Amino acid sequence: MEDQSQTRNMILAAVLSLAVIIVWTIMFPPVPAEAPPAPTASVAADGTPVVPGATGTATAPVIAADPEATRDVALARSERLPIVTAKLNGSISLTGGRIDDLHMTDYRETLDPGSDTVTLFSPAGSPRPYYAVYGWAPGAGTTQPLPDANTVWSVESGETLSEDSPVTLVWDNGSGLIFRRVMSVDENYMFDVVQTVENTTDTAVRMMPYGIIARTGTPETIGFYILHEGVVRAQDGTIEEINYSDMPDFAQVPGDGAVDRVEVAENGWIGFTDKYWMAALIAAPGQGFSSVAKYTAGNDTYQTDMRLPVMEVAPGATLSSASSLFAGAKVANTIRDYQNDRGIANFYDSIDWGWFYFLTKPMFWLLTQIQSLVGNMGLAIIGLTFVIKSLVFPLAYKSYVSMSRMKKLQPEMEKLKERVGDDRQAMQKEMMALYKREKVNPASGCLPILVQIPIFFSLYKVLFVTIEMRHAPFFGWIKDLSAPDPSSWLNLFGLLPYDVAWAPTIISIGVFPILMGVTMWMQQKLNPAPTDKTQATIFAWMPWVFMFMLGTFASGLVIYWVANNTLTFLQQYFIMRSQGVKPDIWGNIRKKPATAAANSPAKPKERKPTVRK
């Protein structure tokens, strides 16, 4: 019994520690450390950072953000070329040639079909600028004018950028260099950009092509430990993630600001990832470049650069530099197709699959396969639960058989306790002999819990980070499986005519969190309460603590938990019955908790003194 109690204490401590960590993280999310001040970059009078000359560096041409200006006002400051595809809508600024206006037409801000579509890019001068820009930085000895943030490009061909209609921008510097920028876009979220320079002079010029994604002001993030938001990049087979809060601490490079620079030999990409959206600069396979993450304190700009090798354009020659820009939703199948079809190494890992990626990736694949069959993501989650329970059933069967045998041994263990009394060493020895003789493993009850913990976190990760769960409906009141259950016991689940939006989610729990608590409680009632009073109290409260805690989680995860509890209950009940153990569920429900007297050690029997005659 002591060994069983120690095992139970170990499991209980692990589960409660996990619960405390999750609740603490939800209620008190980590606050990013305040970044120390960094040296101010060289900035022109109009707020545009100056591109350093002959240094092989590039700085985002950012016009200072104006919180007072509306996005529409910022858009109206320059002539624009429309972008219209099946999944994107926006425009290109002819001033600077920036892709700085982009909406994803397949996604809306809320479940309301009349709500705004999700905005990815916004122009310089708007409250929260976020855009992509391409250009050329001068190489050593080059003094020719190059296109910058204020360059006004002309449209050479194309009226609207669409899947079937690329556009070409052109700019003549008036000194013998003609620059062109050919842009195309596919049916999803991938732009291809070809920069060309024609040298009509009689002197060779050197310059460095670059691409930049810049966002001014610290982006709004969820700030949850399970999700990375910030810089994500791949370099020759390695994925790296950088938080926004870490960027001001980069090493200071004179004339370039706080910079983290990595040289990519053959395959790589770099950009910013949000929970569901991403913008990334992608070099052509086999193309080396400098992958740069950068923060400029002077204009509070976070930046990712793709700095390609310096090119020398001979007199009368024309040279081109091609790269790609992903700007859109992180749809897993689309991302994977880009990786496979375009040879973009590690692009599928731009989705934050986490440490348990060897579980989350196949779990997501299986979930989407089931969803394609049943046509409902909520039903797919329940179907996935059946599959998982089937896979671990052999382990669960052995565990529940062992637990049933343990129950059968209870009378013998009570006799054993009476026989050895308080001699713990003898009790331990006799118990181990009994277990060995009856082929019972007292620790086998831990196995289903230990297996289920990584599965639970893997599924939580999948439901939390994948866009396929966003706004996915179940049935009835569950319109978004990525959001908490919107019903509330405070208004009797909508039967009472008043709003409970004022109540915190952790208190205003809905139907499925309550079902989760009830099914967890029913699982406990398959077995008598622990004889230890403290353990019995903790186990009695655990279902209700988890009920309120998981009330703030995605409803899809809670649906999984309800289905898992129900299947576990049925499995354990019928396996116990097959082993000759009849669970006394109603008796365990009616049974009062162990009293302090029952928990106190038995008093040793008084021994009468021996009187010698």
Side-chain angles (χ1 to χ4, degrees), residues 52 108 158 211 217 337 477 509:
R108 297 192 176 274
D337 289 344
W477 66 96
I509 60 174

Side-chain angles (χ1 to χ4, degrees), residues 139-466:
T142 297
T143 58
Q144 289 267 34
L146 302 181
D148 59 21
N150 298 315
T151 299
V152 178
W153 294 74
S154 300
V155 178
E156 186 174 59
S157 65
E159 297 180 352
T160 299
L161 177 58
S162 66
E163 304 97 317
D164 303 320
S165 175
V167 297
T168 302
L169 307 183
V170 63
W171 179 68
D172 189 333
N173 74 346
S175 301
L177 297 181
I178 302 173
F179 296 89
R180 287 181 174 84
R181 190 171 296 165
V182 181
M183 298 183 181
S184 58
V185 63
D186 68 5
E187 69 279 6
N188 292 306
Y189 308 108
M190 189 70 76
F191 293 82
D192 289 307
V193 179
V194 179
Q195 295 192 92
T196 301
V197 56
E198 179 184 354
N199 183 7
T200 63
T201 71
D202 55 4
T203 305
V205 292
R206 291 170 54 83
M207 60 187 71
M208 181 196 75
Y210 65 82
I212 291 174
I213 298 174
R215 50 195 323 177
T216 301
T218 303
E220 295 180 359
T221 61
I222 296 173
F224 198 30
Y225 73 96
I226 201 172
L227 173 72
H228 170 69
E229 297 168 281
V231 175
V232 59
R233 63 182 175 188
Q235 51 241 12
D236 298 319
T238 301
I239 290 287
E240 183 181 5
E241 297 174 341
I242 304 172
N243 296 327
Y244 290 110
S245 58
D246 295 330
M247 295 179 70
D249 296 328
F250 290 157
Q252 294 292 326
V253 177
D256 205 13
V259 173
D260 182 76
R261 179 169 179 160
V262 174
E263 298 302 322
V264 177
E266 291 184 342
N267 294 288
W269 46 269
I270 184 171
F272 292 110
T273 180
D274 300 321
K275 181 176 181 179
Y276 295 127
W277 331 113
M278 181 174 67
L281 299 161
I282 305 163
Q287 172 67 66
F289 67 98
S290 294
S291 176
V292 176
K294 175 180 175 180
Y295 174 74
T296 304
N299 43 52
D300 190 26
T301 299
Y302 299 86
Q303 187 176 317
T304 58
D305 298 0
M306 179 180 62
R307 304 177 183 179
L308 297 163
V310 174
M311 302 169 60
E312 181 171 309
V313 188
T318 299
L319 291 182
S320 298
S321 172
S323 61
S324 301
L325 167 70
F326 176 90
K330 294 191 292 184
V331 180
N333 289 341
T334 301
I335 297 286
R336 184 188 56 210
D337 289 344
Y338 282 137
Q339 173 176 296
N340 296 336
D341 299 341
R342 285 176 167 253
I344 306 174
N346 302 108
F347 204 47
Y348 195 53
D349 293 325
S350 61
I351 299 172
D352 185 8
W353 299 109
W355 290 352
F356 293 111
Y357 62 90
F358 51 88
L359 290 177
T360 52
K361 287 182 179 180
M363 189 174 292
F364 173 78
W365 176 86
L366 182 57
L367 181 65
T368 53
Q369 293 301 307
I370 298 173
Q371 193 273 338
S372 67
L373 293 175
V374 300
N376 183 286
M377 188 59 77
L379 291 178
I381 292 172
I382 296 174
L384 179 65
T385 310
F386 274 90
V387 173
I388 292 173
K389 297 299 288 184
S390 299
L391 292 176
V392 300
F393 179 76
L395 184 62
Y397 181 81
K398 290 182 180 180
S399 173
Y400 295 142
V401 167
S402 181
M403 291 171 64
S404 299
R405 290 176 179 173
M406 288 279 293
K407 286 184 177 296
K408 286 184 176 182
L409 295 179
Q410 289 299 317
E412 292 190 43
M413 295 183 69
E414 291 297 329
K415 293 177 183 179
L416 182 62
K417 187 174 182 181
E418 290 179 5
R419 187 169 71 248
V420 300
D422 294 333
D423 190 343
R424 294 190 176 185
Q425 186 173 358
M427 180 70 178
Q428 183 76 10
K429 184 177 180 180
E430 293 288 344
M431 283 175 56
M432 296 308 295
L434 179 63
Y435 292 154
K436 186 176 182 179
R437 185 169 63 252
E438 299 294 333
K439 298 180 180 180
V440 172
N441 182 3
S444 62
C446 306
L447 295 179
I449 296 177
L450 295 177
V451 170
Q452 188 158 300
I453 287 175
I455 292 175
F456 171 79
F457 275 105
S458 298
L459 182 61
Y460 179 44
K461 183 81 170 178
V462 167
L463 297 180
F464 191 80
V465 306
T466 55

Side-chain angles (χ1 to χ4, degrees), residues 537-584:
T537 302
I538 293 175
F539 272 90
W541 277 101
M542 190 179 297
W544 317 121
V545 171
F546 271 75
M547 178 179 73
F548 283 99
M549 182 181 73
L550 291 184
T552 64
F553 281 38
S555 55
L557 186 72
V558 183
I559 289 171
Y560 159 78
W561 202 253
V562 171
N564 180 77
N565 286 351
T566 303
L567 291 175
T568 301
F569 175 88
L570 294 173
Q571 280 185 351
Q572 187 173 353
Y573 179 84
F574 287 109
I575 291 173
M576 291 173 71
R577 290 291 298 264
S578 71
Q579 297 300 309
V581 177
K582 184 178 180 181
D584 186 13

Side-chain angles (χ1 to χ4, degrees), residues 5-6 8-9 12 530-540:
S5 177
Q6 289 176 351
R8 182 179 291 162
N9 286 338
L12 180 62
T531 56
D532 183 88
K533 183 181 179 181
T534 302
Q535 286 187 4
T537 302
I538 293 175
F539 272 90

